[in-house]
Amino acid sequence: MEADDESDVRAYIAALVGMGAPVVPGPSGLAVPAGTADGVTAVARRLAMAVLPDRRHRTEPTPGLLAVARSLVVDEHPSAPGWTVAERERLAGWVAVLIEHRGEDGVEELVRALNGD
């Protein structure tokens, strides 16, 4: 995928997230086992730090990617309803960095890691 295509996809997803789609009851959309916020965040942090150009610190994720990470990954985790807002935001930050540097592959890598694959 070219940079312009990636930018268009990110903008589209951010627009969808910004529209505030209604929350629909039912099972979570993320096929991972239940876990603590700290445990899931540690996995996301480890994966994100591995792909950062400067591995000494995390860059601040863009607001659009934060919204994508929050709504498509964090809020879809089966344990998310039991986490605090601060815990969900901390995880969203790491997931957004992972998405920024790895895109969908980063999310798939996170799901595999959370499943022990």
Side-chain angles (χ1 to χ4, degrees), residues 49-71:
M49 290 297 287
V51 298
L52 285 174
D54 179 357
R55 294 187 180 166
R56 290 174 289 173
H57 70 282
R58 179 185 91 177
T59 56
E60 287 302 313
T62 60
L65 288 179
L66 267 173
V68 169
R70 194 178 300 117
S71 62

Side-chain angles (χ1 to χ4, degrees), residues 6-31:
E6 287 181 28
S7 178
D8 290 344
V9 169
R10 287 180 180 168
Y12 177 72
I13 292 172
L16 288 175
V17 170
M19 291 171 46
V23 176
V24 179
S28 70
L30 205 60

Side-chain angles (χ1 to χ4, degrees), residues 29-97:
L30 205 60
V32 296
T36 66
D38 287 343
V40 176
T41 300
V43 173
R45 180 186 183 282
R46 177 179 53 81
L47 295 173
M49 290 297 287
V51 298
L52 285 174
D54 179 357
R55 294 187 180 166
R56 290 174 289 173
H57 70 282
R58 179 185 91 177
T59 56
E60 287 302 313
T62 60
L65 288 179
L66 267 173
V68 169
R70 194 178 300 117
S71 62
L72 298 180
V73 179
V74 176
D75 291 346
E76 291 299 318
H77 192 284
S79 299
W83 298 339
T84 67
V85 171
E87 289 171 328
R88 290 192 307 270
E89 286 304 307
R90 191 170 25 259
L91 176 56
W94 286 111
V95 172
V97 169

